[in-house]
Amino acid sequence: MSQHIKILGIESSCDDTSASVICDGFLLSNVVASQSVHESYGGVVPELASRAHQQNIIPVVHEALKRAGISKDELSAIAFTRGPGLMGSLMVGTSFAKGFAQALRIPIIDVNHLQAHVMAHFIKEEGAENRQPDFPFLCLLVSGGNSQIIKVNAYNDMTVIGQTIDDAAGEAFDKCAKVMGLPYPGGPVVDRLAKSGNPKAFAFSKPHIEGYDYSFSGLKTSFLYTLRDELKKDPDFVEKNKEDLCASLQSTVIDILMEKLKRAAKDTSIKQVAVAGGVSANSALRQAFHDYAEKYGWDIFIPKFSYTTDNAAMVAITGYFKFQDKDFCELSAPPFARTNL
Ligand code: KG4
């Protein structure tokens, strides 16, 4: 048997079906099938997501093995996202991983989706710079479902030191975008329109919360009320001010995120700071990280765009670390919809 550790990663927690192969920590393939079926509903429809995963999982895994240039018999283990996520979606990836591993007589490794987002910073690529953070470091995890500041002590020892008490940052982008009549998911559209807007055109409320926790529901309400009041005066208000509204919304979200992160970095004296999750694709958030690096001497880690949204490479790399500790899971392990790190 080969001495190389080859892990197949499977991700199906929400609306992306993904499979990836990692060999000794280096990426061989990362295939993602995104589900466009949800666009017309303005959000992910769980039942449709499960059905699409069921259709996509076999071709996606087949393609990941093909692009990696390996046969299924060379795999050392299969890592799969066990949760958190949509139960029906998770069941597709979990069941597939179990059945495939049984047939190949190899172990399965369960992976926490949030831990995997953080671990995306450890994926190595042939010919790339492959700079990785040292432990401990801080990671701002911002996605459609989470906004957390995580103190990462080791790959398997992460402490959430701050998190949202209501909406996530991505949710704030998506919900405000929906109110403006923008398509789902709104985050990338807001990012694009904000580029030609004035971030100081509108002032939206910011939360006053203790510690490192976040809140975005007040911002959402403040945004909604501004639109409601202005639309009474001018029915074309949104159309005329779309760019400025997006720029002001985006800059408020980023101010809220960075303020707490700055405080956490100061209090913990940790200067290695990473960002992860879907919202880490945001261009202004990336710029804010560069600005803070310059201003406060942070050593920053920003993921490649392909590792920001849900992908199986982050699952496979987490599996690679767990494999070395022989941290396998039982075939009876059920997926879980909700959990923390
Ligand atoms: O991690 P992710 O793919 O999965 C979920 O948590 O569902 O994150 C998706 C979130 C969505 O809310 C989306 O609007 C947001 O990430 N997002 C962005 C950008 N790209 C994706 N938000 C702001 N700016 C972006 N460029």
Side-chain angles (χ1 to χ4, degrees):
M1 192 171 164
S2 146
Q3 292 306 303
H4 297 289
I5 300 173
K6 293 177 183 163
I7 308 289
L8 171 68
I10 309 269
E11 158 64 31
S12 71
S13 64
C14 189
D15 60 340
D16 295 300
T17 320
S18 180
S20 162
V21 179
I22 290 235
C23 176
D24 299 333
F26 281 87
L27 185 88
L28 296 185
S29 65
N30 184 33
V31 178
V32 184
S34 300
Q35 304 176 359
S36 54
V37 63
H38 309 286
E39 276 163 22
S40 52
Y41 296 91
V44 177
V45 184
E47 175 68 22
L48 296 180
S50 317
R51 291 176 192 216
H53 283 305
Q54 193 71 47
Q55 285 177 328
N56 293 341
I57 189 92
I58 299 221
V60 163
V61 169
H62 181 78
E63 186 62 23
L65 288 169
K66 193 170 134 201
R67 286 193 203 168
I70 69 161
S71 110
K72 59 186 187 312
D73 303 312
E74 293 174 57
L75 291 172
S76 314
I78 299 178
F80 64 98
T81 303
R82 187 172 170 191
L86 299 172
M87 187 45 89
S89 292
L90 289 164
M91 281 172 74
V92 177
T94 302
S95 304
F96 178 85
K98 289 178 182 178
F100 200 26
Q102 272 285 77
L104 297 172
R105 296 175 188 279
I106 55 174
I108 48 168
I109 301 169
D110 60 329
V111 171
N112 180 307
H113 182 76
L114 306 175
Q115 181 191 14
H117 267 300
V118 177
M119 291 303 292
H121 289 284
F122 292 86
I123 301 166
K124 291 192 273 187
E125 288 186 35
E126 213 66 63
E129 193 190 352
N130 295 325
R131 217 167 62 85
Q132 302 181 349
D134 295 321
F135 300 112
F137 66 94
L138 292 180
C139 186
L140 175 70
L141 175 53
V142 269
S143 66
N146 291 280
S147 297
Q148 302 181 325
I149 299 177
I150 302 166
K151 182 165 174 268
V152 187
N153 304 309
Y155 92 85
N156 56 358
D157 177 8
M158 303 186 186
T159 313
V160 177
I161 60 172
Q163 62 188 321
T164 181
I165 58 165
D166 41 56
D167 291 348
E171 226 174 329
F173 277 121
D174 296 342
K175 287 181 177 170
C176 293
K178 193 172 180 181
V179 179
M180 286 188 281
L182 301 176
Y184 175 86
V189 188
V190 171
D191 190 352
R192 183 169 48 78
L193 291 169
K195 286 189 171 54
S196 39
N198 172 10
K200 298 205 184 317
F202 300 98
F204 303 117
S205 75
K206 289 186 193 168
H208 301 283
I209 311 264
E210 289 290 306
Y212 310 125
D213 282 344
Y214 290 120
S215 166
F216 290 99
S217 71
L219 165 62
K220 189 184 62 189
T221 311
S222 157
F223 189 85
L224 197 69
Y225 285 178
T226 302
L227 255 61
R228 184 197 58 186
D229 296 345
E230 296 294 338
L231 280 168
K232 274 186 204 152
K233 295 181 232 160
D234 177 4
D236 296 328
F237 171 77
V238 173
E239 198 46 47
K240 287 179 189 160
N241 295 280
K242 222 161 25 193
E243 288 83 2
D244 285 350
L245 284 166
C246 287
S248 303
L249 168 69
Q250 179 173 271
S251 107
T252 313
V253 171
I254 290 166
D255 282 354
I256 296 170
L257 290 174
M258 296 309 283
E259 182 55 39
K260 290 289 173 90
L261 189 59
K262 183 176 81 180
R263 203 184 300 169
K266 187 165 173 273
D267 294 351
T268 56
S269 303
I270 295 176
K271 291 205 168 205
Q272 292 205 69
V273 190
V275 62
V279 181
S280 67
N282 184 270
S283 58
L285 180 60
R286 287 171 169 246
Q287 185 54 49
F289 262 71
H290 285 289
D291 295 345
Y292 275 58
E294 197 151 302
K295 207 163 164 194
Y296 302 110
W298 287 4
D299 188 11
I300 55 165
F301 296 86
I302 298 175
K304 270 179 68 172
F305 282 108
S306 50
Y307 303 144
T308 58
T309 44
D310 293 344
N311 65 89
M314 66 186 196
V315 178
I317 193 70
T318 311
Y320 169 68
F321 277 79
K322 291 185 90 169
F323 184 89
Q324 292 169 86
D325 284 342
K326 295 197 167 30
D327 188 357
F328 304 133
C329 104
E330 299 289 327
L331 276 175
S332 56
F336 42 73
R338 288 192 170 273
T339 182
N340 218 321
L341 277 165

